[in-house]
């Protein structure tokens, strides 16, 4: 662990679902010790979320959970028992970061707000992830991914202009918020190294979604105009149907479009009236009527490599089998195999980025409560009279509705 980028960081993880666990997965992957605190009976809500390995049942076969929680330790702790909060406070004394994804106000209601933790550990960084943040008129609203997508503006510009708006891919905004929380937490860690002070980091999933409309947002703020749903402003810029699927043909850098046109067989693409990007935008419909049959006659990988060889941003829509067999992924060892006692040995997506001197840490997801003895140990048991009831069953769950999907 000593050669990991974040091996000096200890994280207490109270998150569940997607956004928070993805953040702590990244922290763990780059070397932090992440202690995941789970409900004694049900664990993280994602343990009950499918798809499940071989359609199995139980708390150890959820495929999303197995991926989102690699490299963590799992302990069970009931914060609704008399001693549960006191146990958490003991753990926080030696922690660097506490991550939580409860609805705003729940932690304070349990006597576990940031002000309490700051008295215990002034260097603690507490990161809260919620649908709309800890403050503001929407803070107590409930939301699913589709509402967060819509309220962030993403749906307004996604889809065919003649049809209903569309949400982006599954849980995109959850993962985006997890990335934001990861970066914000590390920024807080860096600042603590300068002034020695901890702080409370507040991450809104809805605000994080603004990242996906950055050009649309700039267009509105700078020119006072609303974007429209439909094709990209530049031509060509789309996923076009080809012989064996879909190829992405992009006119960037647009000053070199003649290089791209060489890939296709129709001389009309070189007509003078289409020379400039503004010309192609002006004649969008007729230009694409020429281009589409040209693309459809060719294979997607052929188009990809032809575009790449000319320094152009061509791509293709890959199936999962093609993703797994990608030479790029193989060369970078993006997919890694791990053994898990409940589901066996399987491939997992690896590091989102690699550092030259501090490698990514690969380890399986934990079983529920697998590390109770290691983390709690005899010290905490003695301190609390040898009573292990803090690992027991919850008395009620009224205030334990988590934020996000």
């Amino acid at each position: 662990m000593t050669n990991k980028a974040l091996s000096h960081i200890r994280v207490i993880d109270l998150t569940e679902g997607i956004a928070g666990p993805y953040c702590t997965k990244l922290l763990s992957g780059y070397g932090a010790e992440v202690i995941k605190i789970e409900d004694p009976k049900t664990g993280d809500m994602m343990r009950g979320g499918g798809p499940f390995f071989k359609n199995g049942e139980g708390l150890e076969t959820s495929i999303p959970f197995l991926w989102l929680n690699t490299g963590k330790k799992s302990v069970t702790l009931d914060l609704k028992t008399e001693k549960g909060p006191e146990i958490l406070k003991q753990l926080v004394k030696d922690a660097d970061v506490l991550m939580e994804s409860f609805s705003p106000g729940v932690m304070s209601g349990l006597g576990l707000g940031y002000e309490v933790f700051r008295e215990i550990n002034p260097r603690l960084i507490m990161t809260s992830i919620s649908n709309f943040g800890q403050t503001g008129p929407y803070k107590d609203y409930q939301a699913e991914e589709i509402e967060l997508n819509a309220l962030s503006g993403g749906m307004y510009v996604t889809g065919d202009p003649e049809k209903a708006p569309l949400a982006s891919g599954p849980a995109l905004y959850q993962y985006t918020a997890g990335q934001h929380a990861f970066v914000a937490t590390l920024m807080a860690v860096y600042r603590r190294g300068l002034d020695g002070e901890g702080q409370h980091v507040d991450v809104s999933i809805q605000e994080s979604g603004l990242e996906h409309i950055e050009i649309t947002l700039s267009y509105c703020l700078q020119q006072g105009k609303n974007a429209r749903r439909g094709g990209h402003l530049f031509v060509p810029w789309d996923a076009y149907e080809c012989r064996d699927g879909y190829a992405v043909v992009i006119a960037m850098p647009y000053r070199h479009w003649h290089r791209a046109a060489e890939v296709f067989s129709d001389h009309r693409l070189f007509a003078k009236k289409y020379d400039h990007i503004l010309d192609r935008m002006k004649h969008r419909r007729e230009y694409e009527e020429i281009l589409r049959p040209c693309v459809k006659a060719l294979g997607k990988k052929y188009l990809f490599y032809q575009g790449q060889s000319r320094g152009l941003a061509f791509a293709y829509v890959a199936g999962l089998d093609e993703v797994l067999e990608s030479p790029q992924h193989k060369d970078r060892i993006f997919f890694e195999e791990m053994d898990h006692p409940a589901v066996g040995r399987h491939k997992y997506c690896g590091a989102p980025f690699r550092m030259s001197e501090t490698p990514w840490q690969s380890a399986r997801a934990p079983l529920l409560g697998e590390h109770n003895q290691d983390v709690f140990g005899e010290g905490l048991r003695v301190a609390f009279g040898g009573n292990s009831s803090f690992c027991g069953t919850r008395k009620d769950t009224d205030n334990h509705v988590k934020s996000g999907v």
Side-chain angles (χ1 to χ4, degrees):
M1 289 290 291
T2 56
N3 66 337
K4 308 296 183 182
L6 303 180
S7 58
H8 60 296
I9 301 297
R10 192 182 207 206
V11 180
I12 305 300
D13 182 7
L14 289 170
T15 68
E16 62 179 18
I18 295 177
Y22 183 59
C23 173
T24 52
K25 170 190 174 73
L26 295 177
L27 291 170
S28 172
Y30 292 106
E33 179 189 18
V34 176
I35 299 172
K36 183 177 182 67
I37 295 179
E38 301 191 67
D39 173 86
K41 293 183 68 176
T42 62
D44 180 337
M45 62 182 288
M46 192 53 71
R47 287 185 182 271
F52 298 94
F53 177 67
K54 292 187 176 180
N55 297 318
E57 296 181 357
L59 299 177
E60 309 298 350
T61 61
S62 165
I63 294 172
F65 178 88
L66 292 171
W67 185 74
L68 284 163
N69 292 280
T70 53
K72 305 174 188 179
K73 297 178 179 178
S74 170
V75 299
T76 54
L77 182 62
D78 184 356
L79 297 180
K80 297 293 288 184
T81 62
E82 180 181 352
K83 294 181 179 178
E86 297 305 313
I87 296 296
L88 180 61
K89 291 175 184 178
Q90 290 293 321
L91 294 175
V92 163
K93 284 183 178 180
D94 298 321
D96 297 283
V97 175
L98 183 141
M99 304 282 305
E100 64 96 6
S101 61
F102 291 105
S103 297
V106 169
M107 290 290 284
S108 296
L110 292 169
L112 297 170
Y114 174 65
E115 297 301 321
V116 173
F117 289 131
R118 186 169 61 178
E119 291 296 319
I120 297 170
N121 181 355
R123 292 174 56 82
L124 181 75
I125 293 152
M126 178 174 170
T127 299
S128 297
I129 305 175
S130 61
N131 289 326
F132 301 101
Q134 300 298 302
T135 61
Y138 292 178
K139 69 180 180 67
D140 296 320
Y141 284 15
Q142 297 183 25
E144 298 287 341
E145 174 78 2
I146 193 168
E147 288 94 359
L148 297 167
N149 195 313
L151 287 165
S152 296
M155 290 181 68
Y156 182 80
V157 293
T158 304
D160 191 304
E162 285 79 37
K163 298 179 181 178
L166 297 174
S168 302
L172 176 63
Y173 284 46
Q174 299 289 321
Y175 284 109
T176 302
Q179 292 173 335
H180 282 205
F182 173 68
V183 173
T185 300
L186 292 184
M187 290 173 67
V189 170
Y190 178 78
R191 178 186 166 181
R192 186 185 65 183
L194 301 177
D195 61 18
E197 295 293 326
Q199 59 180 297
H200 189 188
V201 177
D202 179 7
V203 177
S204 160
I205 300 173
Q206 185 256 343
E207 287 180 9
S208 297
L210 294 175
E211 177 177 312
H212 298 290
I213 60 163
E214 73 281 8
I215 296 176
T216 300
L217 193 60
S218 299
Y219 188 56
C220 179
L221 293 174
Q222 297 299 320
Q223 298 191 29
K225 297 178 181 179
N226 288 330
R228 62 181 179 84
R229 291 201 305 279
H232 195 278
L233 186 64
F234 292 161
V235 183
W237 193 299
D238 207 344
Y240 297 90
E241 186 177 2
C242 60
R243 188 176 62 206
D244 54 356
Y246 285 84
V248 179
V249 179
I250 294 178
M252 284 295 286
Y254 54 77
R255 64 186 177 276
H256 296 317
W257 173 242
H258 279 187
R259 292 183 189 174
E262 294 171 359
V263 177
F264 307 105
S265 57
D266 199 314
H267 69 279
R268 291 177 296 172
L269 296 171
F270 293 92
K272 187 172 180 58
K273 68 175 182 178
Y274 303 137
D275 264 358
H276 195 274
I277 183 65
L278 294 177
D279 299 326
R280 295 191 293 276
M281 291 164 60
K282 180 181 178 180
H283 301 288
R284 173 186 299 270
R285 184 180 297 276
E286 62 185 77
Y287 194 79
E288 290 205 330
E289 285 179 355
I290 300 170
L291 179 63
R292 288 184 183 279
C294 297
V295 178
K296 194 168 184 178
L298 301 172
K300 61 184 183 182
K301 290 185 180 179
Y302 172 83
L303 287 165
F304 167 65
Y305 287 114
Q306 287 295 315
Q308 290 292 310
S309 68
R310 290 167 170 77
L312 300 161
F314 282 20
Y316 64 88
V317 179
L320 287 178
D321 56 338
E322 294 169 315
V323 171
L324 290 169
E325 294 301 318
S326 164
Q328 173 74 0
H329 290 155
K330 286 185 175 181
D331 188 72
R332 287 178 57 80
I333 318 175
F334 178 65
F335 292 103
E336 303 172 318
E337 289 193 351
M338 282 182 275
D339 280 312
H340 188 277
V343 302
R345 188 170 185 82
H346 296 283
K347 288 183 178 180
Y348 293 74
C349 297
F353 61 89
R354 295 184 181 274
M355 292 184 275
S356 58
E357 297 182 10
T358 50
W360 173 261
Q361 172 180 299
S362 297
R364 66 169 175 83
L367 303 173
L368 180 61
E370 181 177 354
H371 301 92
N372 279 354
Q373 183 61 38
D374 293 342
V375 173
F376 294 137
E378 291 303 315
L380 281 179
R381 293 181 186 277
V382 171
F384 289 90
N387 190 337
S388 60
S389 63
F390 54 83
C391 300
T393 303
R394 245 183 220 164
K395 294 177 183 176
D396 67 85
T397 57
D398 291 345
N399 294 322
H400 284 260
V401 177
K402 297 280 186 167
S403 292
V405 176

